[in-house]
Amino acid sequence: MGYEHNIMSMTVEELGDLMKDYGQPAYRAKQIYERIHSGNAMSLDEITNIPAALKEKLRTEGFDVFPVSILERLVSKTDGTKKYVMGLHDGNVIESVLMEYKHGYSICISSQVGCRMGCTFCASTLDGRIRDLDAGEMLGQIYAIRKNEGIKVHSIVVMGCGEPMDNFHNLVRFLKMISDPMGMNLSGRNITVSTCGITERIRELADMKFGLTLAISLHSPTDELRRTFMPIANKYTVEDLMKAADYFFEKTGRRVTFEYSLIKGLNDTKECALELSKLLSGKNAHVNLIPVNPVKERKWERSTDNSVNAFKLMLEKNRINATIRRGMGADIDAACGQLRRRYLGEHETR
Ligand code: SAH
């Protein structure tokens, strides 16, 4: 197989340059782009408004539309959340999630096949990172769900498998394309990017002014504890993270969310809640408490409802804004990467 170019990952400017090279009129780029990004076209054949000879030329030169396909769709009986096992054109498998909120539909997408961050409570990282997704594969998850469900998408969270800041180049391309008026035209207000805290990238993203929400997976108020279950904490201290978060807020005016997955007996104590309150005191921040979804390969257990509520109360007493994220679709392999692992286990060919 020669080098392949995913047309779904190309900006309208890049398509414009290609059309120019091919001696095609400039409007062809717009026709192709619109059909893919707002017209639900999943293949060159479905782009019916361009000449067959042009499609042939594109194919022979290695350009094609590589859609993401839905391999499995699970619907939660408790809250209607839908989870998808998604197939990429090279046979790799990722996960995406569709949630319905009062204000509309939100899709959670993956940014890498696997992950190399090594957080010990997370299933996505158990086999390391296999490869990065390109921008078209990030968009493709949204387009596949949008078409399959016939919905209008309200918001996107980059919170599935993978560390988006470890695939920064493709993340930025994805963000530009999803906010393109000729595509989904999504406002930064409706986009959240979640990171375990790669501070250089947080600053870079702040400078780009997408107006999006940054979510930092903090999970511990101290370096000492954070280092015991998040390897990235050996590289960046909590203080580094706080400085980067402050920078993000100063540059963008957007309140930063801190994710805090509560693990029984590890980071859910009164002392942790107090430390966290001190750390975030006076900041324009929001804490999202997530009772951990136990991963069968690991020993961690979910905090009890009592400790989750006590943790939240302690934060509120110290005037820290906090919400509890109830496990969406917990009955259908909720935790990041668990669904993919089950699917791969069941479909093993060896
Ligand atoms: N790599 C990014 C985004 C992916 S994970 C990040 O670290 O933010 C999205 C969120 O889910 C992160 O806060 C992550 O720490 C958390 N998470 C992962 N596995 C989990 C589990 N089993 N239970 C609860 N939260 C989990």
Side-chain angles (χ1 to χ4, degrees), residues 1-45:
M1 211 166 16
Y3 181 67
E4 290 164 334
H5 308 265
N6 188 359
I7 300 176
M8 215 180 250
S9 299
M10 293 172 76
T11 62
V12 73
E13 291 79 19
E14 288 166 341
L15 279 168
D17 289 343
L18 189 66
M19 291 303 113
K20 204 166 164 189
D21 281 355
Y22 285 6
Q24 290 282 333
Y27 62 81
R28 291 274 181 248
K30 214 175 142 196
Q31 285 178 312
I32 296 173
Y33 194 88
E34 276 183 334
R35 282 293 165 103
I36 294 175
H37 299 278
S38 46
N40 277 336
M42 297 285 180
S43 66
L44 278 175
D45 287 335

Side-chain angles (χ1 to χ4, degrees), residues 198-215:
I198 299 173
T199 59
E200 301 91 327
R201 299 305 196 196
I202 291 177
R203 286 167 200 271
E204 252 181 275
L205 197 62
D207 290 338
M208 290 177 182
K209 303 239 170 67
F210 282 109
L212 52 76
T213 300
L214 176 74

Side-chain angles (χ1 to χ4, degrees), residues 273-284:
L274 259 175
E275 282 293 323
L276 185 62
S277 306
K278 277 191 223 151
L279 187 69
L280 300 180
S281 164
K283 287 194 197 304
N284 197 340

Side-chain angles (χ1 to χ4, degrees), residues 7 22 40 42 44 54 82 98 105 117 136 138 142 161 191 203 220 224 235 250 260 325 330 333:
I7 300 176
Y22 285 6
N40 277 336
M42 297 285 180
L44 278 175
L54 172 57
K82 296 178 183 70
L98 172 66
Y105 285 102
M117 295 298 121
M138 292 189 228
I142 301 163
C161 308
I191 302 172
R203 286 167 200 271
S220 160
E224 201 188 357
K235 189 154 181 207
E250 278 159 30
Y260 198 104
R325 193 207 290 167
D333 287 309

Side-chain angles (χ1 to χ4, degrees), residues 129-349:
R129 181 192 60 171
I130 294 161
R131 73 168 173 86
D132 288 336
L133 298 190
D134 69 22
E137 291 171 322
M138 292 189 228
L139 292 165
Q141 299 168 59
I142 301 163
Y143 299 165
I145 295 173
R146 176 176 72 176
K147 189 170 186 177
N148 191 68
E149 312 292 341
I151 53 162
K152 184 166 163 38
V153 180
H154 174 268
S155 54
I156 299 297
V157 294
V158 188
M159 252 186 217
C161 308
E163 169 50 50
M165 302 292 199
D166 188 37
N167 183 15
F168 195 66
H169 166 79
N170 288 311
L171 172 75
V172 170
R173 176 179 280 263
F174 161 78
L175 292 171
K176 283 185 183 152
M177 291 176 79
I178 203 160
S179 33
D180 188 331
M182 254 189 284
M184 281 188 62
N185 196 14
L186 212 67
S187 148
R189 295 200 167 267
N190 300 337
I191 302 172
T192 301
V193 174
S194 177
T195 175
C196 61
I198 299 173
T199 59
E200 301 91 327
R201 299 305 196 196
I202 291 177
R203 286 167 200 271
E204 252 181 275
L205 197 62
D207 290 338
M208 290 177 182
K209 303 239 170 67
F210 282 109
L212 52 76
T213 300
L214 176 74
I216 297 181
S217 300
L218 187 62
H219 306 324
S220 160
T222 66
D223 291 322
E224 201 188 357
L225 176 62
R226 199 166 188 259
R227 284 179 190 141
T228 64
F229 65 104
M230 290 182 76
I232 194 74
N234 293 304
K235 189 154 181 207
Y236 306 101
T237 62
V238 170
E239 196 190 340
D240 293 338
L241 274 182
M242 290 303 133
K243 283 190 186 146
D246 288 346
Y247 184 84
F248 191 90
F249 179 66
E250 278 159 30
K251 284 277 164 175
T252 66
R254 304 283 294 154
R255 181 179 79 165
V256 174
T257 295
F258 291 94
E259 290 161 280
Y260 198 104
S261 296
L262 289 156
I263 306 172
K264 192 174 182 177
L266 182 77
N267 64 353
D268 65 349
T269 58
K270 196 176 157 191
E271 291 71 36
C272 283
L274 259 175
E275 282 293 323
L276 185 62
S277 306
K278 277 191 223 151
L279 187 69
L280 300 180
S281 164
K283 287 194 197 304
N284 197 340
H286 175 86
V287 178
N288 199 354
L289 299 169
I290 318 162
V292 84
N293 277 302
V295 170
K296 71 171 189 308
E297 290 83 352
R298 304 287 193 202
K299 60 180 195 276
W300 305 126
E301 286 174 44
R302 178 189 302 248
S303 298
T304 61
D305 284 354
N306 271 348
S307 11
V308 173
N309 292 332
F311 202 95
K312 179 170 183 265
L313 274 178
M314 176 69 89
L315 292 178
E316 285 171 346
K317 215 172 91 188
N318 290 295
R319 290 188 297 281
I320 310 288
N321 202 303
T323 47
I324 301 171
R325 193 207 290 167
R326 299 282 169 204
M328 295 285 280
D331 55 327
I332 46 172
D333 287 309
C336 271
Q338 287 197 155
L339 190 56
R340 168 175 179 268
R341 288 182 69 76
R342 183 185 51 66
Y343 182 90
L344 290 175
E346 283 167 10
H347 292 78
E348 217 166 27
T349 44

